[in-house]
Amino acid sequence: MSDPQFPAPGGPQPYGSVPPLPRAPAPPPGAYSVPVGGHQNPVGGYQVPPQDPRPPRTTGLIAMLSALLAAVVSPVLAGVIGFQIGLQVSLEDLADPATGAVSPAALSPVRTQVLWLEVLFWSATAVGILALILGIIATARRRGRGMGISAIVLAAIGPVGFFVLFGVLLSVGNGMAFPGSI
């Protein structure tokens, strides 16, 4: 008979006991042997390689600030100037009734505002191009990548905002000054 303390390998096991593990087969002849404790790490163990310091994000910051200047501040100023022009010059006076062409002579009462609008347009264009270039550099060189991408997007949509805000506020000012013309 078998000992009750050690039942037969195929027989029923008492509750809570763990069956013995089968022995691993012997390796074939000529196989590489593994050290008993596994492969040992060199003295000192694994060390994390030193990381390069994070590059400064000033390029992205400069791109973002110049894009905000070109895409937010410039359209607001253009809208204010357009509102002033709309208060002083009727849109009906701008177009020649015979040809339908815009007459620059009709803008003579607001030539100062027109000059400031032109200066603002060209300076916003230069700052927007700077923001676009710096945004591309910041994105490519990982020097403020998120701000660089935002600067690229703002620099691209800035001219649309400039003309839309100028046109809307020009019409609003014109409608307030000349209510029967529109």
Side-chain angles (χ1 to χ4, degrees), residues 11-76:
Q13 300 288 327
Y15 180 74
S17 68
V18 179
L21 293 174
R23 234 183 122 106
Y32 291 108
S33 63
V34 177
V36 174
H39 292 286
Q40 301 297 320
N41 289 334
V43 177
Y46 176 76
Q47 295 192 5
V48 179
Q51 293 182 349
D52 294 334
R54 191 173 185 174
R57 301 184 311 177
T58 53
T59 307
L61 181 65
I62 293 171
M64 185 67 181
L65 291 176
S66 59
L68 285 173
L69 186 66
V72 176
V73 176
S74 297
V76 169

Side-chain angles (χ1 to χ4, degrees), residues 55-64 66 128-153 155:
R57 301 184 311 177
T58 53
T59 307
L61 181 65
I62 293 171
M64 185 67 181
S66 59
I129 290 172
L130 174 72
L132 187 65
I133 291 169
L134 287 177
I136 291 170
I137 291 171
T139 303
R141 293 190 177 176
R142 297 179 184 249
R143 296 183 179 265
R145 176 173 267 181
M147 290 186 285
I149 292 171
S150 299
I152 293 169
V153 171

Side-chain angles (χ1 to χ4, degrees), residues 16 19 25 49 63 66 70 82 91 96 100 126-127 140:
S66 59
L91 292 178
D96 185 17
V127 171

Side-chain angles (χ1 to χ4, degrees), residues 68-176:
L68 285 173
L69 186 66
V72 176
V73 176
S74 297
V76 169
L77 292 175
V80 170
I81 293 171
F83 183 75
Q84 292 174 352
I85 292 172
L87 286 175
Q88 295 179 18
V89 175
S90 173
L91 292 178
E92 291 177 352
D93 294 343
L94 289 177
D96 185 17
T99 61
V102 175
S103 171
L107 291 173
S108 62
V110 288
R111 61 180 165 257
T112 304
Q113 286 89 349
V114 172
L115 176 65
W116 278 113
L117 184 68
E118 189 171 351
V119 168
L120 179 66
F121 172 76
W122 289 112
S123 61
T125 300
V127 171
I129 290 172
L130 174 72
L132 187 65
I133 291 169
L134 287 177
I136 291 170
I137 291 171
T139 303
R141 293 190 177 176
R142 297 179 184 249
R143 296 183 179 265
R145 176 173 267 181
M147 290 186 285
I149 292 171
S150 299
I152 293 169
V153 171
L154 279 175
I157 64 172
V160 174
F162 187 93
F163 288 114
V164 166
L165 202 54
F166 169 74
V168 166
L169 289 178
L170 175 72
S171 300
V172 167
N174 198 266
M176 289 175 65

